Amino acid sequence: SNYEIHQRGVQVLFAVTFTMSLSMFELIIFEILGVMDLSSRLFHWKLNLYFALVLLIVILPMYMSYIVLNSLRILKQQRLTALFCFLSWTVYFYFFWKLGDPFPIMNPKQGIFSIEQMISRVGVVGVTLMAILSGFGAVNCPYTYMDYFARIVTTLDVNNMEKRMLQTLDMIANKKKKLILEERKSTAQVSDKEQGWWSRLTSSLRTNETVTMLHDEVESLEELSRQLYLEIVDMNSMRERLAMSKTLLGKYFNFTGHIFSGYLAYKIFMCTVNIVFDRVGKKDPISRGLEISADWLGFKFDAQFWLNISALSSSASS
């Protein structure tokens, strides 16, 4: 529960974005299956697209800048916060617009602020992010599934790490007790009028130096405790992974990890060949497989319909 988002604005924007995404996904299904009238689908498509563009280009960037400025606590007045939100959004929109200059987006038949201009730039950003996430998933999937990359962790290793964690927490508690005593000592020395001003000054400087040193030690130990806690969590996760690898599901994941590793090596090799020889692929593997099934094996089915279903399934899984 400590990691939940408690800001009402973030929850509302997430719900609106998720609802809009499901609505567009539903419209894609309706487009494939031919549900609803063509004019009705076109109207709802335009309505969803306009709303999505306003949300992605205006509302979300401005609200993100507002959250960042509030978290920094630099600006205390709401007017200055709103002004800086608008200025940051202006900078964002400038770079967002300049992003489309290297691409053939401009169309003389369309206006500068037409829906095509905005969708094209959003598409460039979306395709780039999807490529990055797909590349990360292609590398992370074999690393997560295969037993070859699993680290051997025993119960003794976890117990030793937990003992170090407890010792660090004890040290933090002792340092904080000393810190409280030193701060009380400093307050008592300042209020002691029997001592001379020179004695009070020197003792106060020595106490302040000790307090500063204790503060630094406590911060270092707290950072060490956080790192030890993360290491314990990682070790327990690795133990669970090793236990699952011995089950039937774990063996299946290990097998699929080897398959994905081979497919990843093949894709890297083919991408290198295409870049070196400047080749452009004309058909994707799904289209090629359906073409082989229809032409060579003699299966009778609606190829275009199943191509749309396959493309939709692959996009949803990615």
Side-chain angles (χ1 to χ4, degrees):
S1 61
N2 294 329
Y3 298 98
E4 294 179 356
I5 302 297
H6 298 287
Q7 295 183 3
R8 183 66 62 183
V10 176
Q11 295 176 354
V12 171
L13 285 177
F14 173 79
V16 171
T17 306
F18 187 71
T19 304
M20 184 197 63
S21 302
L22 290 180
S23 177
M24 297 186 70
F25 185 70
E26 185 179 17
L27 285 174
I28 293 174
I29 297 176
F30 287 175
E31 193 73 26
I32 295 174
L33 300 178
V35 179
M36 296 174 59
D37 187 66
L38 179 61
S39 60
S40 179
R41 291 201 306 266
L42 181 61
F43 170 76
H44 286 91
W45 264 116
K46 288 185 177 180
L47 182 64
N48 276 270
L49 287 176
Y50 277 116
F51 191 77
L53 290 176
V54 173
L55 190 66
L56 292 174
I57 299 175
V58 181
I59 298 177
L60 289 178
M62 290 193 70
Y63 191 74
M64 290 173 64
S65 62
Y66 174 76
I67 292 176
V68 171
L69 290 174
N70 272 347
S71 63
L72 294 177
R73 301 181 183 277
I74 298 176
L75 305 174
K76 297 183 179 179
Q77 297 182 1
Q78 292 295 327
R79 293 182 179 179
L80 290 177
T81 304
L83 177 62
F84 274 89
C85 285
F86 179 76
L87 292 176
S88 61
W89 177 81
T90 305
V91 174
Y92 158 77
F93 186 77
Y94 172 78
F95 285 105
F96 174 78
W97 187 264
K98 297 296 290 183
L99 185 66
D101 290 347
F103 301 96
I105 294 176
M106 293 298 294
N107 189 353
K109 297 182 180 180
Q110 305 293 337
I112 298 178
F113 294 102
S114 62
I115 189 172
E116 286 80 6
Q117 303 292 336
M118 303 300 174
I119 289 179
S120 301
R121 285 165 171 79
V122 172
V124 170
V125 177
V127 169
T128 304
L129 292 177
M130 284 297 295
I132 295 173
L133 293 175
S134 298
F136 172 76
V139 176
N140 186 63
C141 180
Y143 177 77
T144 306
Y145 284 179
M146 293 177 63
D147 297 340
Y148 178 78
F149 298 103
R151 181 163 55 99
I152 305 299
V153 178
T154 61
T155 308
L156 181 61
D157 297 333
V158 178
N159 292 334
N160 291 333
M161 192 62 65
E162 290 177 349
K163 288 180 181 179
R164 289 185 59 188
M165 177 75 176
L166 293 176
Q167 290 175 358
T168 306
L169 293 177
D170 290 338
M171 292 175 64
I172 292 174
N174 293 329
K175 294 290 183 182
K176 286 185 176 181
K177 289 179 182 178
K178 291 182 180 179
L179 181 60
I180 293 173
L181 292 176
E182 290 294 332
E183 289 177 349
R184 290 180 179 177
K185 181 180 178 182
S186 176
T187 305
Q189 288 175 351
V190 170
S191 60
D192 188 6
K193 297 181 180 180
E194 296 181 357
Q195 295 182 354
W197 66 271
W198 179 254
S199 300
R200 284 186 290 175
L201 177 63
T202 53
S203 61
S204 176
L205 290 176
R206 286 195 300 269
T207 305
N208 290 335
E209 183 179 355
T210 306
V211 169
T212 304
M213 183 179 64
L214 287 174
H215 267 296
D216 294 338
E217 291 179 357
V218 168
E219 290 180 358
S220 301
L221 290 173
E222 286 178 346
E223 180 64 26
L224 177 61
S225 66
R226 284 191 288 268
Q227 296 299 325
L228 290 174
Y229 175 76
L230 294 176
E231 183 66 23
I232 292 172
V233 172
D234 185 60
M235 294 174 71
N236 287 323
S237 300
M238 193 60 64
R239 288 186 61 196
E240 294 177 358
R241 178 180 172 183
L242 290 173
M244 193 194 71
S245 65
K246 299 177 181 178
T247 62
L248 184 61
L249 182 62
K251 293 178 181 178
Y252 168 74
F253 281 169
N254 186 34
F255 176 72
T256 54
H258 283 85
I259 294 178
F260 287 147
S261 297
Y263 180 72
L264 177 62
Y266 166 76
K267 292 297 291 185
I268 293 175
F269 174 75
M270 291 306 300
C271 288
T272 305
V273 171
N274 293 334
I275 292 173
V276 171
F277 295 100
D278 197 16
R279 299 195 313 179
V280 179
K282 296 181 179 179
K283 289 187 179 181
D284 57 282
I286 297 176
S287 302
R288 177 67 66 182
L290 291 176
E291 184 181 89
I292 292 173
S293 301
D295 296 340
W296 293 5
L297 301 180
F299 293 127
K300 302 295 183 180
F301 55 87
D302 189 355
Q304 186 62 38
F305 174 78
W306 287 106
L307 276 175
N308 294 331
I309 294 295
S310 302
L312 181 64
S313 302
S314 61
S315 62
S317 61
S318 61

